[in-house]
Amino acid sequence: NAGVMQNPRHLVRRRGQEARLRCSPVKGHSHVYWYRQLPEEGLKFMVYLQKENIIDESGMPKERFSAEFPKEGPSILRIQQVVRGDSAAYFCASSPSQGANTEAFFGQGTRLTVV
Amino acid sequence: AQSVTQLDSQVPVFEEAPVELRCNYSSSVSVYLFWYVQYPNQGLQLLLKYLSGSTLVKGINGFEAEFNKSQTSFHLRKPSVHISDTAEYFCAVGRAQGGSEKLVFGKGTKLTVNP
């Protein structure tokens, strides 16, 4: 009965490298959300996906960031050419259906450090 | 658009004392309200939520919150805290209608319970 699984838990990248963050939702959940938490800040919404579709990406930076949730496999948040400002904790959440009244279950996060 | 203000960034209290963590929100539409707790290096766990009905909501670990529409507040309370309640607490709001599933979070309140 696993919850939301994120890996890796910690990721160190040099400036200019790519970062790939993976999220396996709760079994049976088809809705995935990515949030970013900067130091001393709350979580900021990035993107909302359903299987094979991006529903809302209003919080995604326009460049270097992309997300996918394929039919099979985990959701991936990809950051190309990372910069120091990308250092943050990235959280994934999943829910069984849509609607803000549906509880979203959060993973433990991936802490990205760009050196 | 919605916004959330958590008025206290840090709240130190002694064990067995009562505590109130304040949260105010702003929204032009009806909202759902949530409190999440984050223990060090962990993901977020839902404490309680207000969707509709009774304005006093009881959650896990002895916490409760009261929705006050006229004051646009959703303060979190516990009558007697334990050392294990030391964590960061986030208030969040989601649209009740309109299909936007994302949550808007406050910046968090760090609760430290001292012996």
Side-chain angles (χ1 to χ4, degrees):
Chain A
N1 190 19
V4 176
M5 303 299 291
Q6 290 187 249
N7 66 81
R9 290 289 307 278
H10 301 273
L11 182 61
V12 179
R13 283 288 177 264
R14 295 187 185 278
R15 280 178 294 170
Q17 290 185 319
E18 178 180 285
R20 277 184 180 244
L21 288 63
R22 287 177 291 277
C23 168
S24 296
V26 173
K27 188 175 181 180
H29 287 191
S30 58
H31 302 253
V32 164
Y33 316 81
W34 285 93
Y35 289 82
R36 177 165 64 175
Q37 184 180 30
L38 294 168
E40 307 302 320
E41 296 284 329
L43 277 72
K44 302 286 189 197
F45 169 79
M46 299 182 75
V47 62
Y48 163 44
L49 311 102
Q50 293 180 26
K51 281 287 187 180
E52 299 184 275
N53 291 304
I54 296 174
I55 306 302
D56 181 353
E57 56 181 348
S58 58
M60 287 278 270
K62 293 289 184 270
E63 297 176 346
R64 301 189 297 109
F65 285 72
S66 62
E68 63 177 12
F69 188 19
K71 187 176 180 181
E72 301 291 337
S75 175
I76 306 287
L77 179 67
R78 182 182 177 206
I79 312 172
Q80 295 178 290
Q81 299 176 316
V82 296
V83 300
R84 289 233 170 97
D86 296 332
S87 295
Y90 292 83
F91 288 95
C92 171
S94 74
S95 66
S97 60
Q98 66 183 34
N101 59 329
T102 304
E103 181 178 350
F105 293 81
F106 282 80
Q108 292 185 311
T110 293
R111 281 156 181 82
L112 172 65
T113 302
V114 179
V115 297
Chain B
Q2 291 78 48
S3 67
V4 176
T5 302
Q6 291 185 243
L7 296 159
D8 306 297
S9 59
Q10 298 191 47
V11 173
V13 293
F14 288 108
E15 195 174 16
E16 298 183 6
V19 71
E20 178 179 82
L21 306 183
R22 296 181 291 170
C23 171
N24 286 89
Y25 70 92
S26 172
S27 177
S28 57
V29 299
S30 296
V31 295
Y32 300 131
L33 293 154
F34 307 81
W35 274 100
Y36 283 85
V37 60
Q38 185 181 30
Y39 297 102
N41 296 316
Q42 299 292 316
L44 276 71
Q45 181 182 4
L46 181 67
L47 273 179
L48 48 79
K49 60 185 177 182
Y50 171 78
L51 302 181
S52 64
S54 172
T55 58
L56 182 63
V57 180
K58 293 190 183 297
I60 62 171
N61 300 341
F63 284 93
E64 63 180 33
E66 185 153 20
F67 170 55
N68 187 319
K69 189 174 182 180
S70 63
Q71 297 187 5
T72 60
S73 68
F74 191 55
H75 300 333
L76 181 70
R77 302 186 186 100
K78 186 169 182 178
S80 176
V81 294
H82 302 291
I83 298 284
S84 60
D85 292 323
T86 295
E88 190 156 19
Y89 293 78
F90 292 95
C91 181
V93 62
R95 283 177 63 127
Q97 292 129 5
S100 175
E101 281 69 26
K102 65 186 178 187
L103 297 178
V104 176
F105 285 85
K107 289 189 176 183
T109 298
K110 290 182 180 175
L111 174 65
T112 302
V113 181
N114 298 300

